[in-house]
Every structure is written in structure tokens, then in C-alpha cells.
Amino acid sequence: MIASQGDRIVVESVHLDSGRRSGEVLEVLGDGDTRHYRIRWQDGHKSVYFPGPDARLADGG
């Protein structure tokens, strides 16, 4: 996944008892294979996120 500032991402849960998470990319950190992101999640908290295979860009932006 390659995202830009302002994109929305969705992270699918790998556990049955956990829900899908979504958030907005606030900042792109690193580049190339070390690209990671500062995300504001739907509950309002912010974190640095290294996307895995369960992450995708949300439809429509």
C-alpha cells in the first residue's frame, strides 16, 4: 500500500473478535520500503503505522 497525506486507509482485522479499523493519513514518514504513516484513527487517537498485507486504501479517497 502506498498512501499520500489525506488518504483514508482501512485495516482489516485478522481476529474474529476485533473489528475493522480506519483512519486518515496525516503524514508520510520514510520512503521506499521503509514508508510508514502517522494516522488519525476513527476513534481520534493518533499513531505511527507500518502497513501490512491487511491494509488498503479506502474506496473513494
Side-chain angles (χ1 to χ4, degrees), residues 21-56:
R21 293 191 304 162
S22 64
E24 177 186 358
V25 176
L26 300 177
E27 183 179 3
V28 178
L29 306 167
D31 58 11
D33 291 340
T34 62
R35 187 174 302 201
H36 51 288
Y37 306 95
R38 187 172 317 279
I39 305 289
R40 180 185 310 121
W41 299 103
Q42 76 269 12
D43 66 1
H45 85 274
K46 298 175 189 172
S47 68
V48 173
Y49 178 67
F50 290 78
D54 54 348
R56 63 177 174 81

